[in-house]
Amino acid sequence: MAMLTLGIFSFADKQTALAAEPTSFSVAPVENKDAISQSGYFDLRLKPDTDSAVTIKITNQAKTTGKFVINLNEAYTSSNGVIAYDQKTPKLGATLEQSFGELVAGTSKKTVTIAAGKTRQVSFKLQMPDQAFRGQVMGGLQVVRESDQESGSITDRYSVAVPVVIRQTKNQLKGQVNLVKASYRLENGVGVINLKTQNTAPWVLPSVQVTGNVIRRSDNEVVTTLKKREMALAPNSQFSLPVQVKKALAAGDYTLHYTAQASATNQVWHFNKDFTVKANQVTQNSQTPGTWWRENWLWLTGLVIVAIAAGLKLANMKKRREK
């Protein structure tokens, strides 16, 4: 199960790390009879037409009473290439057959108040469909502490997530990467290649790395390379991965030669995708940050010197008139 854990906690650990000091609360799963293993998250195997409860314990480590909101959310892959649980209704992948939200029986949101130094348990019920589903269905329990201190309309909020993974058989599948589309845009003067990516299988895919070469089709020259490491993809998820390029691309036709590799499962995928950079994408903010200043520093410096000299001259003239 180490392979699965790596993918699930690529995001959850970051959430916990952020929450460690400022939130002053901790969250832990309560042992579940249907768990395949007790791994710091819920890894459940449930038969069709059965139910189970997922229970967490929240400890308020602050010196004051705290209010906590717990949401049972769908897992998705964020644009950073990590598994996230912080959206109630994320955009789901087109290949999804069984959503996590459909397995939640009753409410998917609860609010509790916990006194300082106390611990409280919160449970949610899961109900399996009559027909078995393939692979894994994945979600997460997101715990948010709402501070009593507000600044204007903004409330201080921190969160911790506990993943929930459900399967119905012992069979283990493998994730499948698909590159749907490559496109290009400028963002604050920086060239960004947008990779619309899918995990088309109902199984989490950890430890994914993507690399690629961008070829200018007019002369087959490699104009830029791209690389993104240590990603994790939720089952049946779709996301847009933005990858910055070292130099903004000129208008023209290009081909991306793309390779995705999942080291934990020894899988490799290769794709070739054509895309076009239009003239208006180049002329609008075409220079990268700092380029304009580097190219124009000389005349800008001269302009500043002239302005200072003019200011001093006016000041001297004013003094002479006053005398």
Side-chain angles (χ1 to χ4, degrees):
M1 293 306 297
M3 176 183 70
L4 177 61
T5 304
L6 177 63
I8 290 174
F9 282 98
S10 61
F11 179 78
D13 281 348
K14 292 180 181 179
Q15 286 281 74
T16 304
L18 286 173
E21 179 60 29
T23 57
S24 297
F25 73 93
S26 64
V27 180
V30 174
E31 186 172 333
N32 186 294
K33 63 180 179 60
D34 299 306
I36 299 171
S37 62
Q38 306 298 332
S39 307
Y41 67 98
F42 293 102
D43 185 13
L44 309 177
R45 184 163 63 236
L46 299 170
K47 295 179 180 180
D49 198 25
T50 61
D51 60 65
S52 183
V54 288
T55 303
I56 56 172
K57 55 183 179 181
I58 306 169
T59 300
N60 181 9
Q61 299 168 338
K63 296 180 180 179
T64 58
T65 297
K67 182 179 180 181
F68 299 86
V69 178
I70 307 95
N71 289 294
L72 197 53
N73 293 335
E74 198 94 30
Y76 70 99
T77 305
S78 74
S79 60
N80 293 322
V82 295
I83 300 174
Y85 315 90
D86 60 337
Q87 293 185 16
K88 186 63 181 175
T89 55
K91 185 176 181 180
L92 303 178
T95 61
L96 185 69
E97 298 175 4
Q98 175 67 63
S99 74
F100 182 81
E102 293 172 338
L103 303 181
V104 179
T107 182
S108 61
K109 178 180 179 179
K110 293 185 178 182
T111 302
V112 297
T113 300
I114 305 176
K118 298 298 182 180
T119 298
R120 184 168 174 179
Q121 293 191 357
V122 181
S123 297
F124 291 86
K125 184 179 179 181
L126 301 173
Q127 176 66 51
M128 297 303 102
D130 296 339
Q131 300 296 321
F133 55 78
R134 292 191 314 121
Q136 298 169 326
V137 175
M138 191 172 180
L141 285 153
Q142 182 203 30
V143 183
V144 180
R145 177 176 184 144
E146 293 190 344
S147 173
D148 293 331
Q149 300 296 322
E150 294 191 8
S151 176
S153 60
I154 300 176
T155 304
D156 294 330
R157 293 163 66 92
Y158 306 92
S159 67
V160 178
V162 177
V164 180
V165 182
I166 304 170
R167 69 176 94 170
Q168 296 192 317
T169 69
K170 295 181 180 179
N171 298 333
Q172 291 201 13
L173 306 180
K174 288 185 177 182
Q176 294 291 330
V177 171
N178 179 42
L179 179 62
V180 179
K181 181 182 179 181
S183 58
Y184 178 82
R185 73 177 190 273
L186 280 168
E187 189 173 288
N188 297 323
V190 177
V192 176
I193 295 177
N194 200 58
L195 308 176
K196 188 175 182 180
T197 307
Q198 293 176 324
N199 175 11
T200 61
W203 201 264
V204 66
L205 189 58
S207 303
V208 178
Q209 172 180 292
V210 299
T211 56
N213 292 325
V214 177
I215 309 296
R216 185 167 51 226
R217 296 213 298 270
S218 61
D219 57 7
N220 288 325
E221 181 180 347
V222 177
V223 294
T224 191
T225 60
L226 56 88
K227 188 173 186 178
K228 180 73 173 179
R229 304 177 64 182
E230 292 304 322
M231 298 193 302
L233 313 185
N236 293 114
S237 60
Q238 178 175 295
F239 68 106
S240 292
L241 176 68
V243 181
Q244 290 187 2
V245 296
K246 296 178 181 178
K247 184 178 180 181
L249 301 182
D253 296 322
Y254 297 87
T255 298
L256 169 66
H257 298 299
Y258 168 102
T259 298
Q261 182 174 0
S263 58
T265 54
N266 296 317
Q267 293 172 278
V268 180
W269 300 267
H270 300 285
F271 301 96
N272 297 319
K273 291 292 180 181
D274 295 335
F275 65 95
T276 298
V277 177
K278 298 180 180 179
N280 62 354
Q281 292 177 299
V282 176
T283 56
Q284 185 180 13
N285 296 326
S286 60
Q287 291 173 307
T288 57
T291 300
W292 189 87
W293 298 103
R294 288 194 299 271
E295 293 180 354
N296 298 283
W297 70 270
L298 186 59
W299 74 266
L300 281 173
T301 303
L303 184 62
V304 171
I305 293 173
V306 170
I308 293 173
L312 292 173
K313 184 176 181 179
L314 288 172
N316 290 333
M317 290 174 63
K318 184 178 180 181
K319 287 181 179 180
R320 286 198 296 269
R321 284 198 299 268
E322 290 175 351
K323 290 180 179 180

